[in-house]
Amino acid sequence: ASQVYLDLQNDVVTVDYSDPEVQTAYILRYFQGYWEQFNRALWMIKESHEDFIFSHPALNIGLFGCGPCPEIIGGIRFFEDTRDFLPKEIKFHLYDKKTNEWEFALKNFIFPRHRQNDLINFGVYIGSEQADFTKSFSLAERFSKDFYHVCSFQNCLNEFTEFCSDEMLEKNINTVIDSLVPGGFLVMTDRKKTLPIAQRLE
């Protein structure tokens, strides 16, 4: 876990996420803090725009560059705590360049077989798609306009910035912004060095 931490501090991140031992170390080191970030973001949205979060019978959430997706834990915990206002369906769409490589973590810690029926009964549906944000990125047509209520880039922008131009990254983020419904929310949390990208998008 300490080595994974050190590797992720490098300006150029080259961690072998396909190794189950690396995934386990990542989970031990980061899951608690990482699910709390997205959970807190949903609470902030609720506190300022409660009608928006709970006025939709189906809530569509896009998680970009999400790796093993601790955001799902944060999202489910949020909706467990607001059960009286629970949407009938909560759809998480996962977008990551290495979705297939995170299979061990996803199947053992996010939606293991024994938990899948519970997730479905709770109204949670999870889909995934490979997406490389260092290249020109597009969404499927049905998701590309006025579809997502909340989109998130969490602790991943620093992994893109060393491998593509700022212009390409901005273009791809604007593609995600276009997929939001009017009044939807884009959540971005990352290292301080990537904040100028977010500031230019405001």
Side-chain angles (χ1 to χ4, degrees):
S2 295
Q3 187 58 53
V4 168
Y5 169 79
L6 292 173
D7 290 343
L8 291 176
Q9 301 313 301
N10 296 329
D11 287 339
V12 179
V13 177
T14 56
V15 177
D16 179 11
Y17 290 124
S18 64
D19 184 344
E21 287 190 5
V22 170
Q23 294 186 33
T24 302
Y26 183 98
I27 287 160
L28 290 171
R29 177 112 199 174
Y30 290 107
F31 256 38
Q32 176 71 20
Y34 279 13
W35 75 249
E36 285 186 336
Q37 287 182 30
F38 189 64
N39 181 270
R40 180 59 188 148
L42 292 176
W43 279 108
M44 291 173 70
I45 293 170
K46 178 183 182 297
E47 288 163 5
S48 59
H49 296 81
E50 183 166 319
D51 290 346
F52 175 84
I53 280 282
F54 300 112
S55 63
H56 304 282
L59 199 69
N60 301 320
I61 299 173
L63 303 174
F64 296 85
C66 55
C69 220
E71 297 96 317
I72 290 179
I73 296 173
I76 289 173
R77 289 198 173 201
F78 169 79
F79 288 109
E80 284 177 334
D81 290 339
T82 58
R83 187 179 290 270
D84 291 344
F85 305 96
L86 192 66
K88 291 181 180 177
E89 291 183 351
I90 305 160
K91 298 177 181 176
F92 291 97
H93 291 176
L94 321 184
Y95 294 91
D96 194 273
K97 179 181 179 180
K98 301 183 178 181
T99 298
N100 295 334
E101 294 184 18
W102 284 106
E103 184 177 7
F104 173 81
L106 290 167
K107 287 191 173 179
N108 285 280
F109 297 97
I110 299 298
F111 42 83
R113 184 177 297 276
H114 69 273
R115 194 179 299 154
Q116 289 178 10
N117 286 337
D118 291 337
L119 291 172
I120 291 171
N121 291 336
F122 196 68
V124 172
Y125 297 88
I126 300 170
S128 64
E129 187 97 19
Q130 282 196 299
D132 185 351
F133 294 96
T134 65
K135 301 175 181 177
S136 184
F137 166 74
S138 62
L139 292 165
E141 184 175 353
R142 64 187 183 280
F143 305 144
S144 63
K145 189 73 174 173
D146 298 344
F147 182 80
Y148 291 111
H149 301 94
V150 179
C151 288
S152 171
F153 286 89
Q154 180 169 292
N155 305 319
C156 61
L157 292 178
N158 66 298
E159 297 195 30
F160 308 145
T161 53
E162 299 298 330
F163 298 102
C164 71
S165 66
D166 284 356
E167 291 74 22
M168 179 63 73
L169 187 55
E170 287 180 33
K171 173 186 176 295
N172 290 338
I173 292 174
N174 279 313
T175 295
V176 174
I177 291 171
D178 289 342
S179 74
L180 288 164
V181 301
F185 290 85
L186 175 65
V187 177
M188 301 174 78
T189 57
D190 216 298
R191 294 180 178 182
K192 184 179 293 187
K193 66 175 285 189
T194 62
L195 284 179
I197 295 172
Q199 290 166 353
R200 288 202 298 274
L201 292 166
E202 287 181 348

